[in-house]
């Protein structure tokens, strides 16, 4: 039964290697990902476009976001070991990029669900997506 103590310690060590100390930014990103997935599923149900394959692709994309954050953390470690004091700047930039992307997706889902979205936010989304406004 002593080996059962090893399992949580092993996974905690892996998480620490991949993400460093768990931060508020990681919590925010994780929360936004959950909200985006739930609102996306809700929008899919309401407009009749919900499919199992689409759901699995969505989960894979969310997992890949955390893979990218882990890669960014490892780049920060590499920079620190090479003498550059990056202080997790690469990981922070990657988290902020994906957090903003999730916020945009949540806002789009709100529009699909039928919630009113202010024109300024709609315009900002169009600009960020490469639209003409």
């Amino acid at each position: 039964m002593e080996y059962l103590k090893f399992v949580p310690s092993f996974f905690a060590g892996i998480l620490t290697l991949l993400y460093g100390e768990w931060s508020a930014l990681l919590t925010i990103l994780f929360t936004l990902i959950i909200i985006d997935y739930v609102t996306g599923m809700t929008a899919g149900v309401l407009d009749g476009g919900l499919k199992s394959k689409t759901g699995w692709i969505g989960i894979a994309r969310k997992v890949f976001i955390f893979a990218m954050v882990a890669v960014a953390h490892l780049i920060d470690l590499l920079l620190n070991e090479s003498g550059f004091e990056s202080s997790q700047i690469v990981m922070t930039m990657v988290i902020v990029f994906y957090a903003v992307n999730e916020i945009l997706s949540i806002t789009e889902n709100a529009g699909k669900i039928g919630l009113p979205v202010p024109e300024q936010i709609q315009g900002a989304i169009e600009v960020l997506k490469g639209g003409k406004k």
Side-chain angles (χ1 to χ4, degrees):
M1 292 303 261
E2 287 294 318
Y3 68 91
L4 290 178
K5 293 179 183 177
F6 170 76
V7 174
S9 299
F10 175 77
F11 285 110
I14 295 293
L15 284 175
T16 301
L17 170 68
L18 293 176
Y19 303 107
E21 184 177 325
W22 194 267
S23 67
L25 285 175
L26 283 167
T27 302
I28 291 166
L29 180 63
F30 182 77
T31 304
L32 288 171
I33 284 173
I34 298 297
I35 293 169
D36 180 44
Y37 189 77
V38 169
T39 58
M41 297 292 281
T42 303
V45 167
L46 292 177
D47 71 7
L50 184 64
K51 297 178 184 165
S52 178
K53 183 179 179 182
T54 305
W56 283 110
I57 290 170
I59 290 172
R61 287 180 177 162
K62 303 306 181 189
V63 169
F64 192 73
I65 288 172
F66 280 101
M68 293 302 295
V69 172
V71 168
H73 175 67
L74 295 174
I75 290 170
D76 280 331
L77 292 177
L78 180 67
L79 290 173
N80 283 334
E81 289 298 317
S82 299
F84 297 100
E85 291 298 322
S86 70
S87 183
Q88 295 194 345
I89 190 74
V90 177
M91 185 170 130
T92 299
M93 289 187 312
V94 168
I95 290 172
V96 169
F97 171 79
Y98 284 114
V100 169
N101 190 48
E102 293 299 307
I103 291 168
L104 292 174
S105 181
I106 292 165
T107 305
E108 286 178 332
N109 291 338
K112 290 176 186 175
I113 291 169
L115 293 175
V117 178
E119 286 185 32
Q120 296 85 349
I121 293 176
Q122 290 175 2
I125 290 171
E126 190 173 326
V127 167
L128 290 171
K129 287 187 146 194
K132 295 185 180 189
K133 271 194 175 180

